[in-house]
Amino acid sequence: MDEARAAGLKVAVCSAATKSSVVFTLKSLLGEQRFNSLDCFLAGDDVDKKKPNPLIYQVAAQKLGVSPSDCVVVEDSTIGLEAALGAGMRCIITYTPSTKQQVGLIAGDYPSNGLSHVADRVGHLIICCSMLRS
């Protein structure tokens, strides 16, 4: 996150969890100052539709004032990947202990979504909050 910010990228965190739980987690992991430096923070309470619906990512891009095609999402689940792609964003997929079993499914369904897919130009970084807890 710090390297992305230092490179001039806008950074957002989007999570389907409730705002209170995400705020607690982020402040605990990032610290108050880094949490407050986020360009955008959205939780499940902020949107009507949850992932895999792309709404949370679309709202984040709008709040950042950027085109979805200039964003890269770092996600940890198939529903998050589906939401990111549905929003017109590139996505780097990783996993946590709770989503590790999805890795084979993701590779089979989205074989072209490797890092080379996003390496050409990263405009802005949107992070799935559940990855920060792992």
Side-chain angles (χ1 to χ4, degrees), residues 1 11-17 21-22 25-26 29-30 41-42 51 57 72-81 84 90-100 102-103 106 115 125-134:
M1 180 177 141
V11 177
V13 173
C14 298
S15 175
S21 66
V22 179
T25 301
L26 289 176
L29 292 171
L30 302 177
F41 160 65
L42 294 172
K51 298 175 190 176
Y57 290 130
V72 172
V73 175
V74 180
E75 257 294 350
D76 68 340
S77 69
T78 55
I79 63 166
L81 174 63
R90 291 166 288 178
C91 186
I92 297 170
I93 194 75
T94 186
Y95 62 88
T96 61
S98 64
T99 62
K100 188 174 183 175
Q102 297 177 15
V103 172
I106 291 167
L115 291 178
L125 182 64
I126 300 176
I127 303 169
C128 167
C129 181
S130 63
M131 292 184 326
L132 297 173
R133 291 188 297 248
S134 299

